[in-house]
Amino acid sequence: MTNSSRKIIAVDAMGGDSAPESVFMGLARLKTTVEHFVIFGDQEVLDRYIKVLPSGLSYEIRHTSDVVTGDMEVMTALRAGKKSSMGLAIQAVKNGEAQAVVSSGNTGMYMALSKIILGTVPGIDRPAIASMLPGKNGRSVCVDLGANAECNAKNLIDFAILGDAVARTILNKTSLKIALLNIGSENAKGSRLVKHAAESLKTIFRDEYVGFVEGNDLLQGNVDVIVTDGFTGNVALKTIEGTAKFIVGELKNVLSKSWLAKLGILFCLPALNELKRKFDPRLYNGAIIAGLNGIVVKSHGNSDAVGFANAVQFTSNLLDSDMFERMNARIYESNLHIELSNKENNA
Amino acid sequence: MTNSSRKIIAVDAMGGDSAPESVFMGLARLKTTVEHFVIFGDQEVLDRYIKVLPSGLSYEIRHTSDVVTGDMEVMTALRAGKKSSMGLAIQAVKNGEAQAVVSSGNTGMYMALSKIILGTVPGIDRPAIASMLPGKNGRSVCVDLGANAECNAKNLIDFAILGDAVARTILNKTSLKIALLNIGSENAKGSRLVKHAAESLKTIFRDEYVGFVEGNDLLQGNVDVIVTDGFTGNVALKTIEGTAKFIVGELKNVLSKSWLAKLGILFCLPALNELKRKFDPRLYNGAIIAGLNGIVVKSHGNSDAVGFANAVQFTSNLLDSDMFERMNARIYESNLHIELSNKENNA
């Protein structure tokens, strides 16, 4: 995938609400096997932060004063974006100067620039956003979380291939359970899209494809990969966030109204803090824009140093894996399947 | 809509996990302005429960021993279903013997039978499931929650018309905020489907259409009607349920591990019970299968007496309203709009 055999990550230091501080403070707290960082951004601004980096960290700064913002027209932003810290960081992967790129910048722009600069893996039509979900019985990888508002069955199969490669790497399992998100678990339920995709997934993934799951299964952790179109995936992800926020807010409201409850909460604090640590969203920071010729990791726009460090660690783990080999093997198998079914249809 | 001027509700006494007990215990605890109930089910079974009904309650039992189950083939079930307690209860609305029907039976069968027996309101292509969601700043009506796995823009406009009529009735507001569920709030975001529907909603609902909301807005209560296709709506609803269950489960887990937390929770119990009462799902029981020539209310399959009583109360409130007049006025307006835009396209 890259020309370099050293483990090098390109970093967009200007993307995100609290950049570049979060980026540098994040890099400063890393305990990593990454050998070198190529950091892109405004030299004058970055110079104020480099002092926080530990002396052992190998890095270089590449200056650019160009930025892209979320409110730019797409075409303007794309032109401007190629010379921005984000665009140049992606370009570093293309050139082989780095093996992966991390940014907390605008998601839409990051996806568009990555796709233009790196291109998709042969056999994959469109990149997709894959990320971890916490769950009662374990974590799972959900894909697509919003890159593709409209999908066909081939896209869903691609997403399954991408999710499979990411999940094997991150969950470190040899056998996976792959499921399709639907509005019922019976075969007859759902849209033509998911029913069509289900047929192909059975053929490509055999026993590893376990059928449909529903919205209430998303946080069960009973499957390893949950495949869905980007519209449904994005709504579901944000619904999880909104519901969690709503419940915690209502709990705080009702408990703060009585002095007895306030006292009780004091006794519960150690336990509650344990829970807070376990589901700290910063621990889940780092989504991969999968399906591109390179490892492109999106860190949350509002991530702080802890969050950014986790996104870099996530990237480093992906670099250690044989993700692309697995992906390519699956693409080869699925192409065989598609060729075969085309032959059958034409016979 | 009906021939009768008395307020009469048809009840399927055999549908649901704990029927007919939940049905009779539910009717028994009602304080209602409903004048008469026509109750359908197996006479021999029902005879065991009628003693719980208060002497003031006006009702009659109509015997049928036919039942439909969720695992029947669709066509078999539809044939069998017409003579089942569910089918006959719907038929009572068609005949004008009742003005509304309530059942806790199988959702798919209930929708199919209702559509066949009652037909859709002229101008509405497909019925949709509308239900209340709780929210931080108030309740809202969400539609469609799973009746239509695949939708076009006309369907979404229909759902907005249905949601508008239901929300005006239930929320008792003169001016509503109507929104479309999407994966971003900016105009350029989302699928062609929602962008297309958004254009028409602006014309039909003018200032009452407030644009896009996202998954994390579902429980905000900032809008009164949230319109979405049945696939996304169903996934979102079940994601809310799953997330709530996950959080409560994790809280219980962590709090039960320490004796200090267990003690603390004792002090919090009154406040927690207040919250439990506020968001008791039984209080939200009762979804309307909207868009049919009659009021068809679905009670949750696992509802108990309290839940069933709430579904009947919900039905009674709908009966008191001018829901159908509002719906028809909107349909008339939207048809004008569609005719006008057809003329413009042909000009």
Side-chain angles (χ1 to χ4, degrees):
Chain A
M1 209 40 46
T2 61
N3 305 325
S4 167
S5 59
R6 286 173 71 206
K7 198 166 162 183
I8 300 172
I9 295 179
V11 173
D12 166 17
M14 307 304 281
D17 302 342
S18 49
E21 190 179 340
S22 55
V23 170
F24 280 83
M25 298 303 279
L27 290 176
R29 54 183 298 138
L30 268 178
K31 284 180 184 61
T32 178
T33 55
V34 178
E35 289 167 81
H36 189 65
F37 290 96
V38 189
I39 303 171
F40 293 84
D42 191 316
Q43 180 91 47
E44 207 181 321
V45 179
L46 303 192
D47 278 347
R48 275 180 259 151
Y49 295 94
I50 50 175
K51 63 179 180 293
V52 305
L53 297 180
S55 57
L57 196 88
S58 166
Y59 70 90
E60 65 194 275
I61 303 282
R62 300 273 184 90
H63 172 71
T64 176
S65 53
D66 283 21
V67 285
V68 281
T69 56
D71 52 5
M72 277 180 173
E73 285 281 323
V74 177
M75 292 316 293
T76 320
L78 281 181
R79 270 195 306 273
K82 287 190 183 171
K83 288 179 177 174
S84 68
S85 55
M86 181 193 276
L88 292 175
I90 301 166
Q91 194 68 48
V93 177
K94 174 72 179 173
N95 300 343
E97 293 181 274
Q99 295 158 308
V101 51
V102 186
S103 173
S104 307
N106 180 276
T107 309
M109 189 57 50
Y110 197 32
M111 283 195 300
L113 283 173
S114 304
K115 195 177 169 190
I116 292 172
I117 296 172
L118 297 172
T120 53
V121 170
I124 298 290
D125 292 347
R126 297 201 223 148
I129 300 177
S131 188
M132 302 295 302
L133 292 180
K136 191 180 158 203
N137 302 315
R139 299 181 300 166
S140 57
V141 170
C142 189
V143 54
D144 173 28
L145 291 172
N148 305 280
E150 277 164 283
C151 295
N152 58 32
K154 167 68 164 68
N155 298 141
L156 293 186
I157 296 159
D158 287 358
F159 299 168
I161 291 170
L162 299 175
D164 168 78
V166 172
R168 270 175 213 277
T169 298
I170 300 179
L171 303 177
N172 201 18
K173 287 186 179 180
T174 50
S175 170
L176 294 182
K177 289 180 181 162
I178 298 165
L180 257 177
L181 186 58
N182 195 1
I183 62 174
S185 51
E186 308 88 348
N187 286 337
K189 282 278 183 109
S191 60
R192 275 168 301 176
L193 176 66
V194 294
K195 285 185 226 170
H196 184 170
E199 286 308 310
S200 294
L201 291 177
K202 267 179 218 163
T203 314
I204 299 168
F205 289 96
R206 290 176 291 266
D207 289 349
E208 290 193 297
Y209 173 68
V210 297
F212 296 137
V213 291
E214 302 179 64
N216 47 328
D217 298 314
L218 285 172
L219 303 184
Q220 281 290 316
N222 291 336
V223 297
D224 304 301
V225 180
I226 298 164
V227 176
T228 183
D229 67 275
F231 193 93
T232 310
N234 188 276
V235 168
L237 181 71
K238 288 177 181 163
T239 301
I240 291 173
E241 291 169 358
T243 306
K245 207 173 158 187
F246 175 71
I247 293 176
V248 171
E250 291 291 330
L251 269 172
K252 280 187 180 164
N253 261 348
V254 77
L255 293 173
S256 66
K257 278 196 289 190
S258 109
W259 65 265
L260 197 64
K262 278 188 204 165
L263 181 68
I265 278 300
L266 283 181
F267 294 149
C268 300
L269 272 184
L272 290 177
N273 284 334
E274 187 193 323
L275 197 64
K276 211 169 164 182
R277 274 193 299 276
K278 186 174 167 192
F279 294 110
D280 186 342
R282 298 178 302 177
L283 301 182
Y284 289 83
N285 190 32
I288 176 166
I289 305 181
L292 296 164
N293 289 310
I295 293 175
V296 179
V297 169
K298 171 74 175 82
S299 161
H300 202 289
N302 67 15
S303 65
D304 62 3
V306 176
F308 195 80
N310 276 310
V312 175
Q313 191 51 55
F314 173 78
T315 314
S316 169
N317 295 346
L318 290 172
L319 275 177
D320 289 333
S321 74
D322 55 355
M323 188 172 68
F324 283 96
E325 286 72 15
R326 287 197 179 274
M327 212 181 282
N328 287 328
R330 284 288 187 202
I331 293 168
Y332 179 74
E333 283 176 60
S334 73
N335 283 343
L336 277 187
H337 158 67
I338 290 164
E339 272 174 35
L340 275 175
S341 54
N342 283 347
K343 269 187 200 156
E344 278 166 25
N345 289 339
N346 295 333
Chain B
M1 210 40 47
T2 61
N3 304 325
S4 166
S5 59
R6 288 173 68 206
K7 197 166 162 182
I8 301 173
I9 295 179
V11 173
D12 166 18
M14 307 303 282
D17 302 342
S18 50
E21 189 179 340
S22 56
V23 170
F24 280 83
M25 298 302 281
L27 291 176
R29 54 183 297 138
L30 268 179
K31 284 177 187 62
T32 179
T33 56
V34 178
E35 289 167 79
H36 190 66
F37 290 96
V38 190
I39 303 170
F40 294 84
D42 191 318
Q43 181 90 49
E44 207 180 320
V45 180
L46 303 193
D47 277 347
R48 276 180 256 152
Y49 294 95
I50 50 174
K51 62 179 182 292
V52 306
L53 297 180
S55 57
L57 197 89
S58 167
Y59 70 91
E60 65 194 276
I61 303 281
R62 300 273 183 89
H63 173 71
T64 177
S65 53
D66 284 21
V67 286
V68 281
T69 56
D71 53 6
M72 278 180 173
E73 286 279 324
V74 177
M75 293 314 294
T76 320
L78 281 180
R79 271 194 304 275
K82 285 190 184 172
K83 288 179 177 174
S84 68
S85 55
M86 181 193 276
L88 292 174
I90 301 166
Q91 194 68 48
V93 177
K94 173 74 178 172
N95 300 343
E97 292 181 273
Q99 296 158 306
V101 50
V102 186
S103 172
S104 308
N106 180 274
T107 309
M109 189 56 52
Y110 196 33
M111 283 197 298
L113 283 172
S114 304
K115 195 179 171 189
I116 291 171
I117 296 171
L118 297 171
T120 53
V121 170
I124 298 289
D125 293 348
R126 299 201 220 147
I129 300 176
S131 187
M132 302 294 302
L133 293 181
K136 190 179 159 206
N137 303 315
R139 299 181 302 165
S140 56
V141 170
C142 189
V143 54
D144 173 27
L145 290 172
N148 306 280
E150 276 164 286
C151 294
N152 57 32
K154 167 68 165 69
N155 296 142
L156 293 186
I157 296 159
D158 287 358
F159 300 167
I161 292 171
L162 300 174
D164 168 77
V166 172
R168 267 172 216 279
T169 298
I170 300 179
L171 303 177
N172 202 18
K173 288 187 180 179
T174 51
S175 169
L176 295 182
K177 288 180 182 163
I178 298 164
L180 258 177
L181 186 59
N182 196 1
I183 61 172
S185 52
E186 307 88 347
N187 286 336
K189 281 278 182 107
S191 60
R192 275 169 300 176
L193 175 67
V194 294
K195 285 185 227 171
H196 184 171
E199 286 308 311
S200 294
L201 290 177
K202 267 179 216 164
T203 314
I204 298 168
F205 289 95
R206 290 174 292 265
D207 288 350
E208 290 192 297
Y209 172 69
V210 296
F212 297 137
V213 291
E214 303 180 62
N216 47 327
D217 298 314
L218 285 171
L219 302 184
Q220 279 290 314
N222 291 335
V223 298
D224 304 300
V225 180
I226 298 163
V227 177
T228 183
D229 67 277
F231 193 94
T232 311
N234 187 276
V235 168
L237 182 71
K238 288 176 181 164
T239 300
I240 291 172
E241 292 169 1
T243 306
K245 208 173 158 189
F246 175 71
I247 293 176
V248 172
E250 291 291 331
L251 269 172
K252 280 186 180 164
N253 261 349
V254 77
L255 292 173
S256 66
K257 278 196 288 190
S258 112
W259 65 265
L260 196 64
K262 278 188 203 166
L263 180 68
I265 278 300
L266 283 180
F267 294 149
C268 299
L269 272 184
L272 290 177
N273 285 333
E274 187 194 322
L275 197 66
K276 212 170 164 181
R277 275 193 299 277
K278 186 174 168 193
F279 295 108
D280 186 343
R282 299 177 303 177
L283 302 182
Y284 289 83
N285 191 31
I288 177 166
I289 305 181
L292 297 164
N293 290 309
I295 292 174
V296 179
V297 170
K298 171 74 175 81
S299 161
H300 202 289
N302 67 15
S303 65
D304 63 4
V306 175
F308 195 79
N310 276 310
V312 175
Q313 191 50 56
F314 174 77
T315 314
S316 170
N317 295 346
L318 291 172
L319 274 177
D320 289 333
S321 74
D322 55 354
M323 188 172 67
F324 283 96
E325 286 72 17
R326 287 198 179 272
M327 211 181 282
N328 287 329
R330 284 289 186 202
I331 292 167
Y332 179 74
E333 283 175 59
S334 73
N335 283 344
L336 277 186
H337 158 66
I338 290 163
E339 271 172 36
L340 274 175
S341 54
N342 283 346
K343 269 187 199 156
E344 278 166 24
N345 290 338
N346 295 332

